[in-house]
Amino acid sequence: MKKVAFYTLGCKVNQYETEAMSELFSSAGYEVCPFGSAADIYVINTCTVTGMSDRKSRQIIRRAKKNNPNSFLIVTGCYAQTSPDAVRQIDGVNLILGTQDRKNIVSLYEQHSSTMQYSCVSDIMHTHDFDNLNISEYGTRTRGYIKIQEGCNQFCSYCIIPYARGPIRSRYIKDVLEESKRLAEKGVTEITYVGIHIASFGLDTKSEGLAELLVKANKIDGIKRIRLSSIEPMTLNEEFVNKIKDCDKLCHHFHLSLQSGCDKTLERMNRKYTTEEYYRIINGLRTHFPDAAITTDIMVGFAGETDAEFEETCRFVKKAEFASAHIFQYSKRRGTPAAEYPNQVSPQMKERRSKIINAICEESKQSFMRRFVGTDAEVLFEQKKASGYYEGKTGNYQTVLVQSDEDLRNKYRTAKLIEIKNDTFIGKLVK
């Protein structure tokens, strides 16, 4: 039996796709093994969101061949889609597969396993079909992802992803609900709906949208929690929130990418909202979901960002009081409009601004966490740690550690949140 190993870089969509490709190989009679072992086939699912992502993708591709020089190496994902020529130059790559046709990965391997190198990267910008990968089970795990949407039509001026993923394509809501039910029957109790731009779910098929999906998924027996991956801020307007506010299984964690707290910068980024509109959205969420964790992405050092614009971002970030933030430095992506913008910010300035924003966000994060000290929370425990501790997540995505003689893995328990250590709640089980 041939062995296949996978390595995933990047987002939750990539994680879902890797899981689905792994299941395809397993169903075809291949043995899935850890990436560090000597496999016959390696599949690297790459990312290209930043220059660092490109470099990491190349490093992992080269590392795979060192694990077994005689292996067959498949490179797929966003970096393979946008830079197939660069991937082709890496020694040992046998099959280059972009972000489409992954459902055929096993047959493509079997057709070309004796070929020195074969590329199957289609013109993603003219693709209109959803590549219907799916997952039938997650083994013993109680948390799972379901991909509901592909592509993005936003074309933010800094972003390469529309060129890597193509135009928006939605999965049929019937298929999403069927996979949700199937996973629930196999023991998955928490589902995260993921996509490249999940706010656009249903727009291309002119059918029910994301709010309607949440309402219907909320009725599925066996599902206890429903999560959303990163979502476009303006989606969560009053009309949308009114539709979903009674979904008792929806987790109160909303990741709304801000990118900048300055309207001039947002305009250059081609983001489709102002800071005033963004602030109104998060206030509306907090009105309906007082315990909601609002998390975000913030980009520093975007092309042309002045000191005054950065200071404006700092003031807005303080005002927004995020529960957590992913801060990253602008990285020029060849082929995007912003790569040609004048007044690019120096690496040294980007680094300095990162530290300033990070300090602001760390303060608001600690403030958010302190609100819950002394309260009870339902926790889904997943991992056993040292000294009899078990780690899990609350509905609003806070990490909790408790000590227990009982094996708590994949179980829901109520815990009193006693104190905070290293961004983690230390709790005690409530009997």
Side-chain angles (χ1 to χ4, degrees):
M1 182 185 291
K2 286 191 174 181
K3 295 182 178 180
V4 57
F6 293 82
Y7 195 100
T8 310
L9 298 109
C11 64
K12 290 176 180 177
V13 174
N14 268 14
Q15 293 173 36
Y16 176 88
E17 292 165 346
T18 295
E19 196 83 36
M21 288 187 288
S22 173
E23 191 170 298
L24 288 171
F25 271 101
S26 182
S27 298
Y30 294 80
E31 179 185 342
V32 178
C33 64
F35 179 77
S37 59
D40 301 291
I41 309 156
Y42 291 98
V43 181
I44 316 299
N45 197 359
T46 60
C47 176
T48 191
V49 71
T50 65
M52 179 64 74
S53 303
D54 288 355
R55 288 193 291 276
K56 185 71 183 291
S57 294
R58 292 192 293 268
Q59 289 169 3
I60 298 301
I61 292 167
R62 295 186 178 102
R63 189 196 304 176
K65 212 63 178 181
K66 290 179 181 177
N67 290 345
N68 180 6
N70 298 317
S71 62
F72 189 93
L73 184 52
I74 303 173
V75 180
T76 184
C78 291
Y79 181 56
Q81 179 68 45
T82 58
S83 305
D85 291 340
V87 174
R88 200 173 286 119
Q89 300 304 312
I90 301 173
D91 287 343
V93 174
N94 300 102
L95 173 60
I96 305 166
L97 182 60
T99 55
Q100 193 71 358
D101 300 320
R102 261 85 67 85
K103 62 181 181 293
N104 299 319
I105 188 169
V106 177
S107 61
L108 284 168
Y109 160 70
E110 292 175 347
Q111 290 171 37
H112 301 286
S113 59
S114 59
T115 309
M116 288 295 291
Q117 190 176 91
Y118 181 79
S119 180
C120 183
V121 179
S122 58
D123 181 1
I124 200 70
M125 302 308 291
H126 294 92
T127 298
H128 299 288
D129 295 326
F130 185 85
D131 201 19
N132 210 6
L133 290 165
N134 62 77
I135 296 171
S136 61
E137 62 178 302
Y138 274 94
T140 59
R141 286 176 288 169
T142 49
R143 294 177 69 208
Y145 300 121
I146 296 181
K147 182 180 171 184
I148 66 171
Q149 181 275 338
E150 177 65 280
C152 181
N153 291 354
Q154 297 297 101
F155 289 96
C156 297
S157 63
Y158 54 83
C159 187
I160 194 68
I161 297 306
Y163 307 95
R165 291 284 180 166
I168 60 169
R169 287 99 72 201
S170 300
R171 193 172 180 181
Y172 289 112
I173 192 168
K174 174 178 68 70
D175 293 341
V176 177
L177 293 170
E178 283 177 358
E179 184 166 340
S180 302
K181 290 173 185 174
R182 186 166 62 247
L183 291 179
E185 289 167 0
K186 293 293 182 73
V188 172
T189 60
E190 179 179 304
I191 284 177
T192 302
Y193 289 127
V194 302
I196 299 302
H197 190 261
I198 63 171
S200 63
F201 174 75
L203 290 182
D204 54 315
T205 54
K206 295 181 172 56
S207 60
E208 295 170 299
L210 184 61
E212 287 74 25
L213 170 62
L214 295 175
V215 170
K216 291 187 174 183
N218 195 67
K219 299 174 183 176
I220 295 175
D221 291 338
I223 298 297
K224 288 177 66 71
R225 286 180 177 176
I226 301 168
R227 293 192 186 276
L228 295 174
S229 61
S230 178
I231 187 166
E232 191 70 12
M234 298 312 295
T235 305
L236 297 173
N237 55 33
E238 188 174 357
E239 180 186 359
F240 186 95
V241 171
N242 280 332
K243 288 180 181 179
I244 67 167
K245 65 183 180 182
D246 294 325
C247 293
D248 59 316
K249 297 178 182 180
L250 180 64
C251 291
H252 297 173
H253 170 221
F254 303 96
H255 189 84
L256 312 178
S257 290
L258 172 65
Q259 305 302 2
S260 174
C262 170
D263 288 341
K264 287 182 180 178
T265 311
L266 287 173
E267 188 175 354
R268 289 200 307 279
M269 289 178 167
N270 197 31
R271 299 292 283 175
K272 307 298 193 298
Y273 51 83
T274 65
T275 52
E276 181 182 351
E277 289 170 331
Y278 185 100
Y279 193 67
R280 188 163 62 245
I281 292 292
I282 63 175
N283 271 347
L285 285 170
R286 285 166 173 158
T287 298
H288 289 288
F289 311 110
D291 63 336
I294 311 292
T295 60
T296 197
D297 301 307
I298 301 168
M299 181 189 296
V300 298
F302 182 65
E305 184 184 62
T306 64
D307 287 343
E309 289 177 350
F310 175 69
E311 287 166 9
E312 198 172 325
T313 290
C314 290
R315 288 193 293 271
F316 183 81
V317 170
K318 286 179 182 177
K319 176 181 171 183
E321 297 180 306
F322 294 111
S324 181
H326 171 226
I327 294 132
F328 62 106
Q329 299 174 18
Y330 168 64
S331 172
K332 287 204 295 185
R333 312 307 293 132
R334 183 170 53 85
T336 62
E340 306 301 322
Y341 285 1
N343 303 316
Q344 297 284 334
V345 177
S346 71
Q348 295 81 7
M349 182 62 73
K350 291 177 186 176
E351 186 64 27
R352 182 169 93 57
R353 289 176 180 173
S354 293
K355 290 177 180 176
I356 293 170
I357 284 282
N358 190 65
I360 294 170
C361 292
E362 184 60 31
E363 186 175 327
S364 67
K365 177 182 178 179
Q366 294 300 319
S367 176
F368 177 79
M369 292 183 73
R370 285 194 294 270
R371 287 174 46 197
F372 299 96
V373 172
T375 66
D376 293 349
E378 185 182 58
V379 183
L380 171 55
F381 290 98
E382 295 178 272
Q383 299 181 53
K384 185 175 183 180
K385 311 294 275 189
S387 305
Y389 276 93
Y390 289 86
E391 182 181 285
K393 296 285 188 185
T394 63
N396 61 358
Y397 213 63
Q398 302 303 296
T399 304
V400 179
L401 282 173
V402 302
Q403 263 188 325
S404 176
D405 295 329
E406 177 192 1
D407 188 345
L408 297 180
R409 283 172 291 190
N410 297 323
K411 294 177 181 175
Y412 292 84
R413 292 288 186 271
T414 300
K416 183 173 286 294
L417 309 181
I418 306 296
E419 59 179 327
I420 303 166
K421 285 187 179 179
N422 301 320
D423 297 335
T424 298
F425 284 105
I426 307 301
K428 183 177 181 181
L429 291 179
V430 176
K431 294 183 180 179

